[in-house]
Amino acid sequence: MEQHRTRPPHNGTRRPDRGAPLPAQARGERRPPMGRRPPPPVVQSLRRLPNPRLTGLGGGLFCAGLMLALGFLVSLLFGSSLTLYGVLFVPVSVLTSVWMRRGDLLTAPIIVPIAFAVGLLPVADGGGGTSGRLMGLFTALATQAGWLYAGTLAAGLIALVRRIRLVRGRSR
């Protein structure tokens, strides 16, 4: 009877005791860590975006300035569409709370409603004079409270989740 012999592995490294191939670490090869997958392409592209860190004052100025600019833009292009202004407010509040510095996280839910009111000035319909402008502002705030609550809630939840992750990271 003929005996079948096994061929040595391609790199020629064998265990001295049995003749079985050495594991990859013993040969000096590096394997990727178990359980770690590369992030999806969407996450990789998002990581390339700018990641500023705003202080409390910087976040307030950013949000209020952007909402004021969007208010003028909506008033100019769409004839004071309060719904469009509210829809644009939600992503601005999310960006503000994502870009806040760790130490100033809890100011994001305070900044966002103030910026909503500031940006609402050009959009709100106002009659003649200061009292007419104020009446239009209060009416717009009352009718667009849903968008105001949605943006504030989004900013608050993002700030809260980031704060919890920060505290848990410090405790480890």
Side-chain angles (χ1 to χ4, degrees):
M1 291 196 126
E2 279 185 35
Q3 286 185 336
H4 296 301
R5 295 185 113 179
T6 59
R7 291 188 199 175
H10 296 295
N11 59 3
T13 57
R14 300 177 75 65
R15 281 191 184 171
D17 58 344
R18 287 183 282 195
L22 293 172
Q25 287 91 3
R27 290 191 309 258
E29 296 175 13
R30 295 190 69 189
R31 291 181 8 197
M34 297 297 283
R36 282 265 167 140
R37 285 186 253 174
V42 173
V43 173
Q44 289 176 351
S45 64
L46 286 176
R47 286 182 181 168
R48 286 187 223 120
L49 291 175
N51 192 15
R53 290 293 164 210
L54 302 172
T55 62
L57 179 61
L61 290 174
F62 166 75
C63 193
L66 190 57
M67 289 312 299
L68 188 63
L70 286 174
F72 278 120
L73 189 68
V74 166
S75 177
L76 181 68
L77 296 178
F78 299 102
S80 299
S81 173
L82 292 173
T83 305
L84 179 62
Y85 176 78
V87 168
L88 292 174
F89 169 69
V90 176
V92 170
S93 62
V94 167
L95 273 179
T96 301
S97 62
V98 166
W99 285 349
M100 290 297 286
R101 232 176 29 164
R102 291 177 179 171
D104 298 325
L105 271 175
L106 300 179
T107 59
I110 299 166
I111 290 169
V112 169
I114 296 169
F116 184 83
V118 167
L120 204 55
L121 288 172
V123 180
D125 291 329
T130 306
S131 62
R133 175 73 61 188
L134 281 175
M135 188 61 73
L137 178 65
F138 291 139
T139 304
L141 280 171
T143 58
Q144 300 304 310
W147 292 113
L148 176 62
Y149 292 150
T152 305
L153 181 67
L157 286 176
I158 290 171
L160 185 64
V161 167
R162 285 186 62 204
R163 183 70 180 170
I164 289 171
R165 288 180 62 198
L166 177 67
V167 169
R168 282 189 182 169
R170 283 184 185 168
S171 67
R172 291 182 188 173

